[in-house]
Amino acid sequence: MRKKIVAGNWKMHTTPDEGLTLARQVMETAHANEHREVIFFAPFVHLTTLQKEVSVSPFFSVGAQNCSNHEKGAFTGEVAAFMLRSIDVSWVLVGHSERRQYYHENHTILKQKVDQALSQQLLVMFCCGETLDQRMEGNFREVIRKQLEESLFHLDATQMNQVAIAYEPVWAIGTGQTATPDQAQEVHAFIRELIKQKYGDGVAARVRIVYGGSVKPDNAKDLFNKPDIDGGLVGGASLNALDFVTIIHAAE
Ligand code: PEP
């Protein structure tokens, strides 16, 4: 049985104090459950303090929203995977559509980021998903296949066990327009099939594939009940403790 993941992506919101308050509220209210884990993907300046707070619980962990594609050196403004490792951050988000769109992160850069993260024993949540145009044109499966093949499928099976995948249709992120549970399930099953073809049944059965795109308290349960949807990556609703806790509880 795959452990469900509910991850909050705080994006570029909240001060470190506000983030700490939010995390405390969530941790105090959410029921502990060994069949799911909760991740806070917080801005870099939150991570040291947040990690200390969250490390007391086995059900919660902290992730960075990005890391450099380089190991170290003259890359002003970047944060390297080894720095995240040094403060015991568990996860790093790679390939979010906002990074692809606004910071021009292409397949090659994302592949390098995946490698950097794994070389420092960080767990990777790798985002993939199609734009509205790509869905309308009907070639979204090819788009997703390419995103996975170009940035992820160079990994060996052991490395793949350190990766979770977030299917995030770009047209559903921050728009209030959610993929229906059936639409999402269809793509999740497709992604799992790609993993099976590449890595075999065992890896495909183990890899967690979470859905992201306007997950809210009122749609989370229907999404998470689908057989190939192993939880959610939640943006806007993760900034409200009550909403986020309701979403966490939907992942049974
Ligand atoms: C996200 O940031 O990954 C996301 C899915 O955002 P939202 O839930 O706001 O659509």
Side-chain angles (χ1 to χ4, degrees):
M1 186 176 146
R2 294 183 292 273
K3 203 190 240 197
K4 288 228 180 340
I5 299 176
V6 181
N9 175 15
W10 294 353
K11 311 196 188 201
M12 200 170 72
H13 295 292
T14 71
T15 64
D17 281 350
E18 289 165 348
L20 209 50
T21 303
L22 177 59
R24 278 183 186 143
Q25 286 170 344
V26 171
M27 292 173 73
E28 280 162 16
T29 324
H31 306 140
N33 181 330
E34 63 188 23
H35 299 303
R36 65 171 171 243
E37 58 180 296
V38 177
I39 309 166
F40 299 111
F41 283 107
F44 286 129
V45 294
H46 294 224
L47 296 177
T48 307
T49 328
L50 193 62
Q51 173 58 27
K52 285 193 185 117
E53 182 78 16
V54 169
S55 61
V56 297
S57 166
F59 303 109
F60 293 85
S61 52
V62 170
Q65 296 173 11
N66 184 24
C67 73
S68 174
N69 55 324
H70 299 285
E71 186 187 347
K72 61 179 171 183
F75 300 102
T76 303
E78 289 290 277
V79 173
F82 81 88
M83 299 171 186
L84 299 174
R85 174 75 279 165
S86 76
I87 56 165
D88 293 328
V89 161
S90 308
W91 288 86
V92 62
L93 201 58
V94 176
H96 193 280
S97 63
E98 289 152 17
R99 303 266 349 148
R100 292 177 191 261
Q101 185 181 350
Y102 304 134
Y103 300 96
H104 314 294
E105 294 188 357
N106 59 27
H107 299 312
T108 309
I109 292 174
L110 296 176
K111 179 182 182 191
Q112 292 165 345
K113 290 189 180 210
V114 167
D115 289 342
Q116 286 301 326
L118 294 181
S119 77
Q120 295 297 324
Q121 290 78 49
L122 295 165
L123 301 167
V124 170
M125 183 172 285
F126 182 82
C127 304
C128 60
E130 78 284 2
T131 63
L132 186 57
D133 284 352
Q134 290 162 338
R135 178 156 277 260
M136 304 286 253
E137 285 160 15
N139 63 351
F140 60 92
R141 288 180 196 79
E142 272 319 298
V143 170
I144 291 164
R145 180 199 297 274
K146 198 161 173 60
Q147 289 172 337
L148 297 177
E149 279 180 356
E150 299 285 320
S151 303
L152 216 49
F153 282 2
H154 63 291
L155 300 178
D156 63 27
T158 310
Q159 290 172 312
M160 264 313 268
N161 290 326
Q162 305 299 108
V163 174
I165 293 174
Y167 167 57
E168 296 209 301
V170 180
W171 47 273
I173 297 177
T175 59
Q177 195 185 345
T178 321
T180 66
D182 286 341
Q183 275 176 324
Q185 164 59 27
E186 188 211 337
V187 181
H188 282 234
F190 170 70
I191 292 172
R192 203 175 298 286
E193 180 58 32
L194 291 177
I195 296 169
K196 185 174 155 186
Q197 284 167 15
K198 171 78 186 165
Y199 295 99
D201 288 335
V203 176
R206 274 193 300 277
V207 169
R208 271 94 53 90
I209 308 173
V210 302
Y211 169 80
S214 298
V215 176
K216 303 281 181 238
D218 60 358
N219 60 24
K221 215 174 183 69
D222 288 343
L223 287 160
F224 299 170
N225 277 343
K226 290 289 178 187
D228 287 295
I229 302 185
D230 303 315
L233 176 57
V234 186
S238 72
L239 294 167
N240 177 296
L242 269 182
D243 285 354
F244 192 51
V245 168
T246 306
I247 295 170
I248 292 169
H249 289 166
E252 299 291 6

